[in-house]
């Protein structure tokens, strides 16, 4: 018999196989998706429920030479909590409320506590989270990782402004307590530090006192960017929340047309029964739409409209109703109803199946906003890719190192990804990025999936990146904390690659 | 249409169809992990691919080292940061005389063609099933369609592969992953250089091209070239009492 089994000695160069590789258990291999459904990773996922468990995951990563990506509820649109083929440390099971004082409104929580848990826990005592994002299905660890903002950013700043202190477990096993007084540099870098410095394990937040479970919400329409900006500037001193919606299909004189919702907290005198309005049951979003349609199937009805013609119609109808029947109306709405409008339609994002969608959000100074956003919409029309949703907010500066905050406006654009537009969409987002950069704009890692290292440097500045890299070396000298976003934007600065 | 595969493993990449598949994937811009025993052959191929501007990685391995597969598979997927395509092209067909019954050759055939395939494709199927994406290509043969006189265990090993691949497909296709069973007729490779009868012979490059197109289109069973499908349908239809008198 010919010797078919002879093994040739490997030549030394050119072999990629390495002997010291330690496999991780196949049982932990999972698919991990981005919220936009356009990116995913296969990762080895661990979900510890204690601080000791977190230490163990870091130890395992060290022993097997793996990187660790931190993940909350995965509500970032892009690759911020993805970590291909490495360890995903999912904090959702670390979700206990550690202490709560209804007198002072100070709450101490683990990082996996969701925003939903948080408001439901406190609202009955007359406290509401000082800053909430557009969905309640985020974890507070993830909220701090991105330093999320709400529709009250121009007043309240980002969530970081309301954090009293936190514990951060670093990959080296250190537990750092940070506040504005203790480790202030890490405090201001880890909040908004997109999971690069350590894992929040305990967070103390000052909640916001509310006298009623309702807000007074005033709605009106605006005809263009100049007008909406004028309205925001005039109202921001007295409004508690301001949010704008823009019909991105409109062109010419109507380019930038949209609607504004302005909300104010109610005083006890304006609410006949705050005891009742503050009950969780009376905050909850109803299960059906118009008392008829189960919410869970609504996305199926929207699906046929998720194309250019359909969305042009939906946007037009929304503008038309806000400019006519809904114009200059004041209504009372629960905090949850006002804040979490998007959660009203479960799985609304499924209308973007199968290719998913991306959000492009830029934050530009007030002076350049009108021109910048007008150019961005014009660029979309030129490219033939019109965003199906445009959301407009007012912001202010903050003191966090990697911040997306500006004294100005943000404009968030939702783009459907199709089999045919992928390349063109990529080119378009580059153009939108350049327009924003020229206007002095900034970007937000929670929404981003398209930025490149040069643009990230351009808005953050060398000094900021150097300072963040210094902090990274201090907390994570081996560059063990790693995500696809960090690799895309800061491979050289942060990841020892 | 460019191929939708960016990160690929080809087991049995050091010669024949596996090599041709690896080359074509690299030409199309994919990164390919080359797996086979002969490290020098793989290194040569990697060099040639690199010279043409492509990217390949070399992982010498004997598929009969089953226990090593899990770690190696993970090492490769970590290295490439994921996997889109898994090709199992390793195979042996030891020549045997009409009257030869060699347990050694038969065991080798079963080990490489069947057990090696199971060791590698189990890994891929588990991953792709969980991912809801990915493509498995298993190279079987027309020889698996009928028990012929020529190569009893080789033919049986390909029948095994057919049934195994079909099972994998039934397990994971519903998630979005695909499993492609490839059934070539004679292909001009080192495996067949001493085989006398080679009807409808095609080159390894032609075979690779057809195989990758079928993989991109998520075909279930593909005969290479396609003519073998009707031919084998007829051959399968021949009743056994006649078949055993024929000279296949
Ligand atoms: C429908 C919708 C509406 C939204 N609206 C807003 C909005 O109005 N304003 C706004 O600012 N954002 C908004 N967002 C974005 C969202 O608030 C952020 O992406 C937030 O970070 C998501 O939290 P998460 O728990 O899902 O975190 P993930 O997305 O899982 O992680 C976010 C980041 O935090 C890191 N991280 C996670 N856990 C920890 C931890 N324990 N310690 C350290 N780092 C950690 C991760 O590595 C990652 O970099 C919205 C998102 C959606 C889907
Ligand atoms: N050629 C044909 O006419 C034909 C027809 C139908 C089906 N097929 C099938 O097509 C596949 C490819 O065949 P081919 O014609 O391309 O043959 P080939 O040129 O001989 O290639 C066979 C490949 O399998 C690898 N291999 C064999 N034993 C191995 C082991 N123990 N461990 C790892 N790798 C091993 C070889 O690499 P090393 O030697 O370097 O390990 C080589 O790369 C086979 O499954 C074959 O049965 C071939």
């Amino acid at each position: 018999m010919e010797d078919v089994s002879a093994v040739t000695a490997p030549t030394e160069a050119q072999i990629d196989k390495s002997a010291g590789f330690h496999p991780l258990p196949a049982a932990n291999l999972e698919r991990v998706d981005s919220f936009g459904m356009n990116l995913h990773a296969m990762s080895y996922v661990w979900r510890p429920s204690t601080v000791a468990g977190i230490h163990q995951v870091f130890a395992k990563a060290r022993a097997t030479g793996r990187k660790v990506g931190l993940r909350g509820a995965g509500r970032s649109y892009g690759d911020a909590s993805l970590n291909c083929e490495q360890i995903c440390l999912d904090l959702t099971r670390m979700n206990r409320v550690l202490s709560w004082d209804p007198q002072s409104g100070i709450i101490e929580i683990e990082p996996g506590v969701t925003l939903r848990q948080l408001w439901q826990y406190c609202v009955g005592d007359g406290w509401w989270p000082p800053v909430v994002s557009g969905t309640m299905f985020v974890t507070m660890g993830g909220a701090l990782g991105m330093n999320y903002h709400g529709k009250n950013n121009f007043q309240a700043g980002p969530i970081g402004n309301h954090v009293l202190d936190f514990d951060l477990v670093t990959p080296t096993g250190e537990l750092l307590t940070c506040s504005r007084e203790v480790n202030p540099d890490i405090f201001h870098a880890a909040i908004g530090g997109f999971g690069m410095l350590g894992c929040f394990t305990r967070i103390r937040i000052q909640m916001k006192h509310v006298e009623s479970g309702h807000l007074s919400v005033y709605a009106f329409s605006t005809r263009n960017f100049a007008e909406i900006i004028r309205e925001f500037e005039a109202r921001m001193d007295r409004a508690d929340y301001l949010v704008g919606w823009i019909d991105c299909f409109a062109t010419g004189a109507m380019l930038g047309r949209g609607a504004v919702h302005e909300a104010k907290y109610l005083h006890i005198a304006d609410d006949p029964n705050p005891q009742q309005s503050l009950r969780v049951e009376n905050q909850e979003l109803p299960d059906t739409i118009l008392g008829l349609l189960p919410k869970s199937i609504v996305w199926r009805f929207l699906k046929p409209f998720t194309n250019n013609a359909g969305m042009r119609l939906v946007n037009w109808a929304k503008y038309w109703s806000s400019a006519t029947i809904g114009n200059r109306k004041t209504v009372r709405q629960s905090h949850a109803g006002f804040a979490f409008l998007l959660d009203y339609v479960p799985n609304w994002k499924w209308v973007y199946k199968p290719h998913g969608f991306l959000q492009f959000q830029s934050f530009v100074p007030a002076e350049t906003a009108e021109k910048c956003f007008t150019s961005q919409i014009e660029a979309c029309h030129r490219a033939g890719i019109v965003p199906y949703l445009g959301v407009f907010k007012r912001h202010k500066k903050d003191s966090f190192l990697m911040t997306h905050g500006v004294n100005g406006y943000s404009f968030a654009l939702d783009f459907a990804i199709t089999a045919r537009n992928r390349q063109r969409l990529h080119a378009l987002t580059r153009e939108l990025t350049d327009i924003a950069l020229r206007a002095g704009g900034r970007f937000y890692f929670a929404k981003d999936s398209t930025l490149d290292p040069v643009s990230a440097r351009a808005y953050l500045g060398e000094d900021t990146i150097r300072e963040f890299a210094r902090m990274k070396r201090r907390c994570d000298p081996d560059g063990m904390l790693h995500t696809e976003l960090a690799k895309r934007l800061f491979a050289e600065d942060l990841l020892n690659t | 249409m460019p191929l939708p595969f960016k990160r690929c493993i080809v087991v049995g990449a050091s010669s024949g169809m596996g090599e041709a598949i690896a080359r074509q994937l690299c030409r199309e811009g994919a990164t390919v992990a080359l797996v086979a025993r002969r490290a020098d052959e793989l290194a040569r191929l990697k060099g040639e691919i690199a010279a043409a501007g492509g990217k390949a990685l070399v992982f010498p391995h004997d598929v009969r080292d089953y226990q090593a597969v899990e770690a190696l598979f993970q090492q490769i997927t970590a290295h490439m940061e994921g996997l889109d395509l898994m090709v199992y092209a390793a195979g042996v067909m030891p020549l045997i005389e009409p009257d030869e019954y060699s347990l050694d050759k038969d065991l080798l055939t079963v080990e490489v063609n069947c057990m090696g395939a199971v060791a590698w494709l189990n890994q891929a199927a588990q991953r792709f099933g969980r991912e809801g994406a990915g493509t498995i290509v298993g190279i079987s043969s027309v020889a698996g369609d009928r028990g012929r006189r020529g190569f009893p265990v080789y033919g049986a090993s390909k029948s095994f592969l057919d049934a195994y691949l079909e099972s994998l497909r039934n397990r994971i296709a519903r998630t979005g992953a695909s499993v492609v069973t490839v059934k070539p007729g004679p292909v001009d490779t080192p495996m067949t250089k001493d085989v006398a009868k080679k009807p409808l012979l095609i080159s390894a490059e032609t075979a690779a091209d057809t195989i990758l197109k079928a993989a991109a289109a998520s075909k279930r069973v593909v005969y290479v070239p396609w003519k073998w499908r009707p031919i084998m349908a007829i051959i399968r239809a021949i009743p056994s009492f006649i078949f055993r008198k024929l000279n296949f």
Side-chain angles (χ1 to χ4, degrees), chain A residues 4 16-18 24 26 31, chain B residues 37 58 60 74-75 130-131:
Chain A
V4 279
D16 298 278
K17 185 163 154 181
S18 61
L24 294 168
R31 177 184 169 119
Chain B
R37 285 166 307 173
V58 169
Q74 211 181 100
Q75 185 177 355
R130 289 183 192 174
E131 189 169 9

Side-chain angles (χ1 to χ4, degrees), chain A residues 94-401:
Chain A
M94 253 186 99
N95 62 352
R96 287 174 302 172
V97 173
L98 301 171
S99 72
W100 166 234
D101 177 0
Q103 254 61 53
S104 65
I106 293 175
I107 192 160
E108 191 176 28
I109 53 175
E110 289 186 332
V113 166
T114 61
L115 178 55
R116 178 169 195 248
Q117 258 179 290
L118 183 65
W119 76 255
Q120 295 194 343
Y121 200 86
C122 304
V123 74
D125 291 323
W127 298 88
W128 183 255
V131 175
V132 300
S133 66
T135 171
M136 59 173 120
F137 301 117
V138 299
T139 67
M140 294 316 291
L144 258 62
M146 287 302 174
N147 200 13
Y148 78 18
H149 61 260
K151 299 166 190 166
N152 58 355
N153 189 255
F154 58 94
Q155 288 276 4
I159 186 69
N161 283 12
H162 309 271
V163 173
L164 302 172
D165 53 56
F166 58 75
D167 287 345
L168 189 76
V169 169
T170 71
T172 53
E174 236 181 318
L175 191 144
L176 297 166
T177 299
C178 306
S179 67
R180 287 178 186 76
E181 291 74 41
V182 185
N183 294 316
D185 52 348
I186 299 178
F187 181 86
H188 288 97
I191 294 180
F194 53 105
M196 284 297 105
L197 303 186
C199 180
F200 301 114
T201 53
R202 182 193 60 85
I203 303 166
R204 223 154 56 93
I205 299 175
Q206 172 66 61
M207 300 289 279
K208 156 92 187 161
H209 182 55
V210 287
E211 296 173 10
S212 159
H214 287 145
L215 294 165
S216 162
V217 182
Y218 176 62
F220 58 96
S221 68
T222 48
R223 278 163 306 187
N224 50 45
F225 278 121
E227 188 176 333
I228 198 171
I229 289 174
R230 216 164 39 241
E231 290 289 352
F232 269 60
E233 294 298 308
R235 288 166 192 276
M236 55 186 269
D237 290 339
R238 33 194 178 95
D240 291 312
Y241 298 93
L242 275 172
V243 62
W245 158 82
I246 305 285
D247 171 5
C248 298
F249 284 92
T251 52
M254 296 301 263
L255 192 149
R257 75 177 175 194
V260 177
H261 284 86
E262 175 189 39
K264 290 179 185 163
Y265 295 114
L266 280 191
H267 293 295
I268 198 148
D270 304 323
D271 185 345
N273 197 346
Q275 293 283 29
Q276 284 305 312
S277 66
L278 285 166
R279 285 180 57 206
V280 172
E281 289 77 358
N282 297 327
Q283 289 287 324
E284 283 285 23
L285 311 172
D287 285 335
T288 53
I289 296 229
L290 306 172
L292 215 63
L293 217 55
K295 286 193 306 179
S296 55
I297 62 165
V298 167
W299 72 272
R300 292 183 189 279
F301 288 87
L302 286 171
K303 180 91 184 132
F305 291 94
T306 312
N307 50 56
N308 287 334
M311 280 294 149
R312 182 184 290 276
L313 184 71
V314 169
N315 275 274
W316 174 84
K318 183 166 159 58
Y319 178 73
W320 182 81
S321 62
S322 62
T324 53
I325 41 179
N327 206 7
R328 311 207 171 271
K329 295 265 158 60
T330 303
V331 293
R332 288 203 174 173
Q333 226 178 340
S334 70
H335 292 279
F338 177 75
F340 308 125
L341 191 69
L342 286 169
D343 296 337
Y344 204 77
V345 182
N347 297 322
W348 56 265
K349 66 173 185 172
W350 288 359
V351 302
Y352 291 111
K353 277 183 171 185
H355 299 284
F357 69 118
L358 65 83
Q359 185 170 100
F360 182 92
Q361 187 175 25
S362 42
F363 297 71
V364 303
E367 313 81 64
T368 52
E370 180 189 343
K371 192 158 162 266
C372 171
F373 298 153
T374 304
S375 310
Q376 286 185 333
I377 295 226
E378 285 169 352
C380 295
H381 284 277
R382 269 200 307 280
I385 308 177
V386 181
Y388 290 171
L389 178 66
V391 175
F392 189 80
K393 284 185 220 152
R394 185 69 168 90
H395 298 270
K396 72 172 180 186
K397 279 203 157 135
D398 58 63
S399 52
F400 296 92
L401 187 62

